[in-house]
Amino acid sequence: MAEVLPFGPAYRRKAALFCGVGEADDLVQDAYARVLAVADYRSIHNPRAFVLTIVQNLAIERLRRAQVVSIDHLASIDALVLADPEPDAFSVAAGKADLDHLLHLIDALPPQCARVVRLRKIDGLAPGAIAERLSISVSTVEKHLAKGLSLLTTAMRTVGSDARENSRTEWTTTQRARN
């Protein structure tokens, strides 16, 4: 608890923004109780941020349950950024498509380059471990990696410019059809 208590004034300020000064102490005490309820609260890496998040969540919970809510408190909630940290469906689908495309490009590399790039960039092996696994020198690993990354960069740029050119062509065709 020694890691949490020094930031008490910051917790009260945050709580006061949401529920007013009168309820701030109660909210902070509830937050302390939640922290103590965590099985291994001593292993929390950033206790201040953890408690501030608990205070914020408790305040939102109280305001949702309240029969009458002050307009000032509603403004405090509107000021919050309650964005979901998870990527949306489009980002997930686009990421998967990009990864599939990259893996296809890696497969198109010369065999040894492809193996080295996969082991280094996907599996995360160090050049020395790759050299040992493939029975080649570290210098050769570095050369294959440089060549593979260069070829991948060129292929990605080519695909990007092709996609831009295709979209321009499609736009021009659409505009001509409209006229």
Side-chain angles (χ1 to χ4, degrees):
M1 211 51 187
E3 302 86 12
V4 172
L5 292 176
F7 303 109
Y11 308 145
R12 283 193 241 350
R13 278 193 305 275
K14 181 96 169 196
L17 283 174
F18 297 113
C19 296
V21 178
E23 290 187 42
D25 285 332
D26 289 340
L27 197 65
V28 170
Q29 290 303 316
D30 288 347
Y32 288 156
R34 293 251 177 123
V35 169
L36 288 173
V38 173
D40 193 15
Y41 70 87
R42 287 186 173 89
S43 68
I44 296 170
H45 296 293
N46 190 346
R48 182 176 186 268
F50 183 73
V51 176
L52 284 172
T53 302
I54 291 174
V55 167
Q56 177 178 317
N57 291 340
L58 285 171
I60 292 169
E61 185 178 304
R62 281 188 182 190
L63 290 173
R64 283 184 185 147
R65 291 184 180 168
Q67 297 292 329
V68 178
V69 178
S70 168
I71 198 81
D72 296 331
H73 298 153
L74 287 176
S76 297
I77 287 179
D78 289 340
L80 279 178
V81 176
L82 296 175
D84 186 6
E86 297 297 318
D88 61 357
F90 177 78
S91 298
V92 170
K96 285 182 180 178
D98 288 346
L99 180 60
D100 287 343
H101 178 68
L102 180 63
L103 292 174
H104 176 72
L105 291 175
I106 290 173
D107 288 340
L109 291 173
Q112 193 72 332
C113 283
R115 280 191 287 275
V116 170
V117 169
R118 274 187 187 276
L119 290 171
R120 179 71 178 130
K121 296 299 181 181
I122 295 175
D123 296 341
L125 293 178
I130 296 170
E132 187 176 315
R133 182 180 280 188
L134 299 178
S135 300
I136 57 176
S137 70
V138 174
S139 173
T140 304
V141 168
E142 291 169 350
K143 288 175 185 171
H144 282 302
L145 187 59
K147 180 181 178 183
L149 293 177
S150 175
L151 291 170
L152 285 174
T153 303
T154 302
M156 298 282 283
R157 284 186 184 144
T158 302
V159 168
S161 65
D162 288 348
R164 284 191 297 277
E165 186 60 37
N166 287 342
S167 66
R168 275 191 226 120
T169 304
E170 289 172 15
W171 183 82
T172 306
T173 305
T174 305
Q175 291 303 314
R176 285 183 187 154
R178 288 183 182 173
N179 294 332

